[in-house]
Amino acid sequence: MFTGIVSEGFIKSILPDELGWELVIDAAKFASIVQIGDSVAIDGACLSVTKIEGNYLSFFVSTESIDKTIICHYKVGSKINIELPMQPTGYLGGHYVLGHVDATATIAKVIAGEKAWFFTITVPEQFVKYIVYKGSIAINGISLTINKVVENDIELCIIPVTISKTNMSLLKLGDSVNIEFDILAKYTEQLLNKREI
């Protein structure tokens, strides 16, 4: 389980084969503290470490994950958001993020300002039921608060520290992002559906 409080990493290499990709990440901040088999969130997608060499972490990415996330758009040198799982002795700085990407969404508008950046993101229609004004959402693994909801568009207000520490500043009109909706909303839906049976 993750919290959506991320750090930056960079794609060192992508080695495709018929079963998926080996993705190698430059993750100097984390390489010395993870072990093979550990879960790591890469732009919000939970992947397992398969190899560690110096500052580089390797991951196997299945064709399913490539098809369902923005990993399919990665290039060598791309800046990515990276997070290790929450420790039982740590604190919850964001919200509960599982690293199970629900869908990709599209950047509809970006307004860059000195004090904040505003992003409008168009969410696939079938997921609108999980959107709550002032609720939590994970975009590329980052825990964010929904600032405004208009039909299937959400607006996010991103402060400068988040812009500087993540890949949000690189996003432009038409780009895709990984999106994970709040697990509490999904559990609530499940419970309500079962009560109706």
Side-chain angles (χ1 to χ4, degrees):
M1 185 174 292
F2 304 92
T3 68
I5 305 301
V6 302
S7 297
E8 68 179 15
F10 297 90
I11 306 294
K12 179 182 183 285
S13 63
I14 299 168
L15 306 169
D17 64 32
E18 66 277 4
L19 300 175
W21 290 358
E22 181 186 44
L23 189 64
V24 182
I25 307 289
D26 184 347
K29 182 175 179 180
F30 299 125
S32 64
I33 56 176
V34 301
Q35 298 179 12
I36 291 173
D38 282 356
S39 295
V40 177
I42 305 297
D43 276 332
C46 182
L47 302 174
S48 297
V49 177
T50 58
K51 193 188 309 178
I52 304 166
E53 294 180 336
N55 288 337
Y56 302 117
L57 303 178
S58 296
F59 304 88
F60 173 75
V61 187
S62 69
T63 53
E64 170 81 1
S65 293
I66 294 166
D67 291 342
K68 297 284 172 64
T69 69
I70 63 167
I71 290 173
C72 63
H73 301 299
Y74 283 174
K75 294 179 174 50
V76 172
S78 292
K79 182 178 180 180
I80 51 96
N81 300 321
I82 185 169
E83 182 187 3
L84 297 186
M86 181 176 71
Q87 299 299 308
T89 55
Y91 62 92
L92 182 61
H95 73 284
Y96 290 119
V97 179
L98 301 184
H100 304 157
V101 175
D102 290 304
T104 59
T106 306
I107 302 294
K109 186 191 294 185
V110 179
I111 300 172
E114 284 185 28
K115 296 192 175 178
W117 288 39
F118 291 87
F119 291 82
T120 301
I121 298 176
T122 302
V123 174
E125 194 168 338
Q126 68 267 35
F127 295 105
V128 170
K129 59 190 173 183
Y130 302 127
I131 296 172
V132 179
Y133 170 64
K134 295 298 181 187
S136 297
I137 197 164
I139 303 294
N140 283 355
I142 309 161
S143 176
L144 298 169
T145 301
I146 297 169
N147 198 46
K148 187 188 292 183
V149 181
V150 180
E151 296 179 347
N152 61 326
D153 284 348
I154 60 172
E155 182 186 85
L156 306 167
C157 176
I158 313 295
I159 60 175
V161 67
T162 303
I163 289 294
S164 67
K165 290 178 66 175
T166 69
N167 59 10
M168 293 294 288
S169 65
L170 304 175
L171 296 173
K172 57 190 184 304
L173 187 68
D175 281 353
S176 295
V177 292
N178 288 334
I179 189 164
E180 180 183 329
F181 299 95
D182 191 349
I183 188 62
L184 297 177
K186 291 184 274 188
Y187 280 140
T188 301
E189 178 193 39
Q190 178 92 351
L191 288 168
L192 290 174
N193 286 342
K194 286 186 175 179
R195 284 183 66 183
E196 292 172 3
I197 295 174

